[in-house]
Amino acid sequence: MNRDAGKVITVRGLIEPTALGKVLMHEHVHADVFDPATNMPIETEEPTRPQRREFLLREALPWLTKLNDFGCHALVEASPPPTRAWPTMLQELSQRSGTHLIQSTGFYREVELGHYWATKPEYQIWPYVRRASVEELADFCTREILEGIHGTDVRAGVIKLAASAPTMTEAEDKAFRAGARAQLATGVHITTHCTSRGAESSQLKLLEIEGVDLRRVVIGHSAWHLIDRVWCAICLDWMKRGANFMPTNLFFFDPAERANHDRRYWQPLVDGIHRVFDAGHGDKLVLGLDSGFGSEEKTFKFLGFNAPPPWCHMFTHTLPNFRAMGLSADQENAMIRINPQRILPVC
Ligand SMILES: [Zn+2]
């Protein structure tokens, strides 16, 4: 029997799922992709520098602490290596805020050439993913979950895997196979980056071939899937086989800034969520904001696609608006509390 069974692996150790309260299932406390000193993507993880620690204590800690006021005591830090925070930094933030943090192992996607920081082919994906074999990548993730990250006692509690297009690149295919094997070896869940319609099926097919129970998979960034009737039906077929889906980036922007992200913009998603609940699969939905801090735009700062406040936006803006748009209290409770508390424990 797995020694972690039934418990959630957080940066402060194993906890009971009920201690999570409400949970944000895809956030970024620290997604540092770009090193301005070398003008290159970061390749090697290093202990947090004092300046960065001060930044996080000043900008992130108050909002992580504030989450507790909303009954939210946990978030999944979905930044994989080498972009994630040094594990003891997350441990300190968790200790001081009281909010449980679940750190990721795994791999980010191969970014399209010319997008973001991928100005050269060697910058498109973490070079280690191209270099290592599937077995080596699987061992890397498994060790981080079972033993700890970088010699610390902080263990990863989730496997992040990522691909954008419906057809994976060779490196992404390797990363998914490795992540699947680490999932089977450890029992933690897999959370994915899946921005394109069609990518959900290639990701789930591959994980299923590798033997992963699809109940242990959350397909992320899938608001665009659920908004559309045809794609929502495709997702429902996967939900029947166990897979979970996670709409993210559910921001209500200041109308002066982005007028289309208002209730009219999100109503089709709330309608899609109703379709899923009506079909009897409301137990397969969780929510994330994809909020936080990173250097996607070179400088490390509040991520540009976010609306403030960090993380708490879910409770100050998103859910109150969704409720006014017809989401029921039971539906909200299922997506933000009950379903995460079922998915996060090791099994
Ligand atoms: Zn993200």
Side-chain angles (χ1 to χ4, degrees):
M1 162 128 172
N2 189 328
R3 63 183 167 137
D4 302 321
K7 304 281 201 301
V8 181
I9 305 174
T10 77
V11 296
R12 284 188 284 157
L14 294 174
I15 63 164
E16 295 293 334
T18 48
L20 299 168
K22 300 175 186 176
V23 188
L24 302 175
M25 290 289 277
H26 180 123
E27 309 303 323
H28 300 283
V29 176
H30 183 286
D32 198 5
V33 288
F34 195 83
D35 181 0
T38 59
N39 210 31
M40 280 166 59
I42 289 165
E43 190 178 338
T44 312
E45 298 187 273
E46 285 171 3
T48 312
R49 295 185 303 277
Q51 209 185 359
R52 175 60 52 80
R53 175 175 171 272
E54 281 156 30
F55 178 97
L56 290 170
L57 294 179
R58 188 180 68 240
E59 303 290 333
L61 180 59
W63 298 110
L64 288 174
T65 308
K66 181 80 181 158
L67 278 176
N68 292 290
D69 293 352
F70 303 104
C72 174
H73 307 305
L75 61 82
V76 173
E77 217 297 1
S79 316
T83 70
R84 63 190 177 183
W86 193 257
T88 51
M89 182 72 239
L90 284 191
Q91 202 171 40
E92 181 182 359
L93 287 168
S94 176
Q95 261 151 8
R96 293 176 70 156
S97 65
T99 297
H100 297 294
L101 302 173
I102 294 106
Q103 188 159 28
S104 294
T105 186
F107 313 101
Y108 196 58
R109 70 191 178 93
E110 186 156 350
V111 176
E112 300 78 17
L113 196 59
H115 282 248
Y116 303 113
W117 54 89
T119 50
K120 297 179 183 178
E122 59 267 38
Y123 296 169
Q124 286 179 271
I125 193 164
W126 191 22
Y128 176 58
V129 180
R130 285 213 178 108
R131 238 178 8 243
S133 67
V134 173
E135 290 70 25
E136 286 167 335
L137 296 172
D139 285 350
F140 168 83
C141 294
T142 303
R143 271 199 314 276
E144 291 207 325
I145 297 161
L146 297 182
E147 293 166 24
I149 303 172
H150 297 314
T152 70
D153 61 353
V154 178
R155 297 161 61 197
V158 57
I159 300 165
K160 167 76 176 280
L161 299 173
S164 267
T167 306
M168 287 184 201
T169 68
E170 200 184 318
E172 288 167 346
D173 183 280
K174 263 168 70 175
F176 267 80
R177 287 182 199 281
R181 291 173 200 185
Q183 195 286 321
L184 291 171
T186 63
V188 303
H189 85 284
I190 289 173
T191 194
T192 82
H193 168 111
C194 176
T195 41
S196 302
R197 294 165 175 171
E200 74 297 328
S201 296
S202 53
Q203 295 183 4
L204 289 165
K205 270 180 204 158
L206 194 155
L207 293 172
E208 198 171 46
I209 288 167
E210 287 287 330
V212 174
D213 179 342
L214 299 187
R215 290 175 297 182
R216 306 303 295 139
V217 182
V218 175
I219 296 293
H221 306 315
S222 44
W224 322 120
H225 299 65
L226 302 179
I227 274 172
D228 182 271
R229 276 180 179 276
V230 173
W231 286 97
C232 188
I234 291 167
C235 293
L236 273 169
D237 281 341
W238 283 110
M239 289 180 206
K240 285 177 196 153
R241 294 156 73 178
N244 305 285
F245 285 77
M246 172 169 56
T248 66
N249 303 76
L250 311 171
F251 298 114
F252 283 77
F253 286 93
D254 179 343
E257 197 184 328
R258 214 178 297 190
N260 60 343
H261 275 59
D262 57 11
R263 286 186 188 171
R264 273 166 306 175
Y265 180 83
W266 287 118
Q267 188 65 53
L269 176 64
V270 175
D271 296 345
I273 290 170
H274 280 303
R275 277 197 293 277
V276 173
F277 273 88
D278 290 347
H281 291 290
D283 60 337
K284 311 293 192 328
L285 295 178
V286 294
L287 301 173
L289 270 182
D290 204 12
S291 178
F293 298 87
S295 58
E296 196 170 71
E297 297 161 27
K298 292 208 169 182
T299 313
F300 189 86
K301 61 181 180 64
F302 185 53
L303 287 166
F305 49 83
N306 282 205
W311 311 305
C312 297
H313 188 95
M314 179 67 84
F315 304 102
T316 56
H317 291 71
T318 308
L319 290 172
N321 273 298
F322 279 13
R323 289 289 291 280
M325 292 154 63
L327 191 77
S328 74
D330 285 348
Q331 290 170 333
E332 176 183 319
N333 193 44
M335 293 190 291
I336 205 83
R337 185 198 306 269
I338 297 173
N339 300 343
Q341 290 190 8
R342 187 193 69 246
I343 294 166
L344 275 163
V346 171
C347 70

